[in-house]
């Protein structure tokens, strides 16, 4: 019978994961139980994806405000520290900021505007235009910001992040000065000791400030190694962390490759099928209303099995139908398009007109985004996602 359904995505329920749990066995059992209960059979190149949150939780990869403060002491001593380009997030950055400020004498907090790196807006672009402010050249003090814009609440959270971050710092006993600029060099007018908190542009920021003679670290350098028994991430430090409690953060999971390979092996033994496995965090997509770019993690997927390497090799069906095969219809069109797809070779669509409009992104970024949208970040209770037919095409 001809297949009538393409990609199928299922959120898989799992127990609440605790530190020390055998996550490999839990994932395998959850998938196998779902297959039995829902009546679907495993196939070659199915994909199992596990959210980074439960991987880190099983690893017990947590750190406290005190751990962050101790690492800041080690790196900056009594220096006035410029904390620049943080994202605006109670979940992602607020607890980190408390640890960063604890024990500091003074923090110079430099915020990008009109939005942070992932699209959370302090003010709208329209308001900047109205006030005649150029965010590429103008540096604003907190006083000038207030004179121009007053109190602006985030449209989704209702939070005035300028006041919120300022209060977090002062509550930890540090003096704070707030500056608004999109040029990382601006901070050097205030201090030569800098903690840069941007995510995807951090290497460039470090390079520019280091060349200017600054002592500069990134969030990825804080808790890169354990501090007094804390969790850590040797590659990403505090990047990708989330609020766990009012005093602790859950760090991005570490050393995930053995985990995904172990899950793949466990499922192979149980099903006889080679199923691809990945760990995923934030998807890489932008909300058209709130303008928020979802990817606050350093990467979409910190680990995946080898079958998920690479990018899609796809062609645009509507381009073929409107061009090469414009004279055909019905079964003749279907067969011609199917033959064209069957004959394409790996990488053959790159740079060709018939591939334009397909998505030139890594498989793990595409699948991770699909998984993030499926599992959500709330109470669905599906930290495992099972995907079938993702690698199928019209010709199969």
């Amino acid at each position: 019978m001809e297949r009538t359904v393409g990609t199928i995505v299922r959120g898989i329920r799992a127990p609440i994961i605790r530190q020390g749990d055998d996550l490999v066995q839990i994932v395998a059992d959850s998938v196998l139980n779902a297959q039995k209960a829902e009546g679907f059979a495993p196939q070659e190149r199915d994909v199992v994806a596990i959210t980074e949150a439960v991987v880190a939780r099983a690893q017990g990869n947590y750190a406290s405000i005190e751990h962050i403060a101790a690492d800041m002491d080690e790196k900056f001593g009594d220096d006035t520290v410029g904390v620049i380009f943080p994202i605006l997030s109670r979940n992602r950055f607020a607890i980190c900021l408390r640890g960063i400020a604890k024990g500091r004498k003074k923090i110079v907090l430099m915020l990008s505007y009109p939005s942070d790196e992932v699209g959370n807006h302090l003010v709208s672009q329209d308001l900047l235009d109205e006030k005649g402010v150029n965010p590429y050249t103008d540096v604003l003090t907190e006083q000038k910001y207030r004179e121009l814009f007053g109190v602006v609440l985030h449209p989704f959270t209702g939070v005035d992040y300028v006041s919120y971050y300022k209060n977090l710092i002062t509550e930890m006993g540090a003096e704070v000065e707030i500056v608004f600029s999109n040029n990382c060099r601006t901070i050097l007018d205030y201090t030569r000791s800098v903690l840069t908190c941007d995510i995807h542009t951090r290497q460039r920021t470090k390079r520019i400030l280091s060349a200017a003679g600054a002592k500069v670290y990134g969030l990825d350098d804080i808790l890169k190694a354990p501090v007094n028994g804390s969790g850590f991430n040797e590659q990403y430090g505090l990047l990708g962390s989330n609020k766990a409690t009012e005093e602790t953060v859950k760090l991005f999971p570490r050393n995930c490759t053995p985990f995904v390979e172990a899950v793949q092996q466990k499922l192979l033994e149980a099903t006889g099928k080679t199923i691809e496995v990945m760990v995923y965090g934030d998807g890489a997509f932008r909300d058209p209303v709130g303008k928020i770019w979802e990817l606050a993690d350093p990467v979409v997927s910190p680990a995946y099995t080898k079958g998920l390497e690479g990018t899609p090799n796809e062609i645009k069906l509507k381009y073929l139908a409107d061009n090469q095969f414009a004279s055909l219809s019905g079964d003749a069109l279907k067969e011609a398009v199917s033959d064209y797809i069957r004959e394409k070779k790996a990488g053959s669509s790159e740079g060709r007109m018939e591939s334009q409009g397909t998505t030139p992104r890594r498989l793990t970024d595409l699948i991770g985004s699909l998984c993030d949208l499926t599992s959500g970040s709330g109470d669905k209770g599906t930290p495992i996602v099972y995907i079938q037919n993702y690698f199928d095409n019209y010709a199969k």
Side-chain angles (χ1 to χ4, degrees):
M1 180 181 292
E2 181 178 0
R3 183 176 291 172
T4 59
V5 177
T7 301
I8 301 170
V9 186
R10 297 177 174 90
I12 305 297
R13 294 274 167 83
I16 302 297
I17 306 301
R18 297 294 189 188
Q19 180 175 345
D21 285 349
D22 185 349
L23 191 57
V24 172
Q25 190 64 54
I26 290 172
V27 170
D29 289 346
S30 298
V31 168
L32 296 172
N33 289 340
Q35 288 174 347
K36 182 177 179 181
E38 301 297 327
F40 63 93
Q43 303 168 15
E44 289 289 324
R45 297 208 77 189
D46 286 355
V47 179
V48 171
I50 305 97
T51 180
E52 59 84 19
V54 298
V55 179
R57 191 177 302 137
Q59 291 176 344
N61 204 17
Y62 293 86
S64 70
I65 289 172
E66 286 71 23
H67 293 136
I68 297 170
D71 207 2
M72 288 290 294
D73 286 341
E74 175 68 24
K75 289 178 169 59
F76 291 106
D78 291 333
D79 297 353
T80 293
V81 178
V83 176
I84 70 172
F85 301 154
I87 63 172
L88 307 175
S89 173
R90 294 169 296 176
N91 175 47
R92 288 286 190 172
F93 190 68
I95 305 302
C96 294
L97 182 57
R98 293 182 65 204
I100 290 165
K102 184 179 176 62
R104 302 300 102 219
K105 291 180 178 178
K106 182 176 179 179
I107 294 288
V108 180
L109 179 65
M110 193 172 86
L111 302 174
S112 56
Y113 76 100
S115 71
D116 68 10
E117 180 184 1
V118 296
N120 291 295
H121 277 70
L122 286 171
V123 295
S124 70
Q125 187 68 53
D126 289 337
L127 190 53
L128 291 187
D129 293 342
E130 177 187 326
K131 299 295 183 178
V133 176
N134 185 342
Y136 301 104
T137 60
D138 294 348
V139 176
L140 307 179
T141 63
E142 182 184 2
Q143 180 180 351
K144 186 62 176 179
Y145 172 90
R146 293 300 188 192
E147 289 174 1
L148 288 166
F149 310 122
V151 174
V152 182
L153 303 180
H154 189 281
F156 287 173
T157 64
V159 173
D160 174 0
Y161 277 97
V162 177
S163 292
Y164 179 55
Y165 279 2
K166 182 177 183 177
N167 291 336
L168 286 177
I169 293 169
T170 57
E171 286 168 3
M172 300 310 293
E175 180 186 349
V176 60
E177 183 174 1
I178 299 179
V179 183
F180 301 84
S181 175
N182 293 304
N183 183 349
C184 64
R185 297 177 182 87
T186 299
I187 197 63
L188 301 178
D189 294 333
Y190 300 84
T191 178
R192 311 292 290 186
S193 296
V194 184
L195 178 70
T196 183
C197 302
D198 45 344
I199 305 164
H200 307 292
T201 56
R202 64 188 184 275
Q203 299 302 342
R204 177 176 183 268
T205 303
K206 288 183 185 180
R207 172 174 55 79
I208 291 171
L209 292 175
S210 294
K215 176 168 68 174
V216 56
Y217 294 96
L219 277 185
D220 55 333
D221 298 309
I222 307 299
L223 296 185
K224 206 166 188 172
V227 174
N228 301 327
S230 73
F232 67 102
N233 190 301
E234 59 271 83
Q235 188 171 6
Y236 299 118
L238 279 177
L239 288 180
S241 63
N242 283 273
K243 176 180 179 179
T245 71
E246 295 300 326
E247 300 292 327
T248 60
V249 292
K250 175 195 62 62
L251 302 175
F252 211 50
R254 51 186 301 270
N255 194 28
C256 295
T257 299
F259 166 72
V260 296
E261 291 175 346
V263 172
Q264 184 178 60
Q265 182 61 34
K266 182 77 70 173
L267 291 173
L268 176 63
E269 293 169 358
T271 67
K273 306 293 183 181
T274 299
I275 295 173
E276 306 299 343
V277 183
M278 65 181 284
V279 176
Y280 69 95
D282 278 346
F285 48 83
R286 188 180 185 188
D287 178 75
V289 177
K291 312 301 182 187
I292 299 171
W293 183 39
E294 178 70 9
L295 187 55
D297 286 326
V299 291
V300 173
S301 177
Y304 45 88
T305 50
K306 292 180 180 179
L308 296 177
E309 289 278 4
T311 58
N313 176 32
E314 298 177 340
I315 58 175
K316 203 76 169 178
L317 293 185
K318 63 184 180 182
Y319 184 87
L320 295 180
D322 291 342
N323 289 272
Q324 281 95 324
F325 307 120
S327 63
L328 302 178
S329 61
D331 288 342
L333 175 60
K334 177 181 177 181
E335 189 60 33
V337 171
S338 296
D339 287 344
Y340 193 98
I341 294 172
R342 292 188 192 101
E343 292 169 3
K344 72 180 179 182
K345 299 178 181 179
S348 63
S349 63
E350 184 176 348
R352 296 174 63 174
M353 288 298 295
E354 57 266 38
S355 69
Q356 289 194 5
T358 60
T359 308
R361 293 165 59 189
R362 292 182 300 181
L363 289 168
T364 50
D365 293 341
L366 291 165
I367 297 171
S369 298
L370 175 63
C371 293
D372 190 26
L373 289 167
T374 301
S375 61
S377 57
D379 57 5
K380 287 185 172 61
T382 54
I384 304 166
V385 176
Y386 196 88
I387 303 170
Q388 294 190 296
N389 305 340
Y390 187 84
F391 297 100
D392 279 9
N393 58 43
Y394 185 73
K396 290 186 178 180

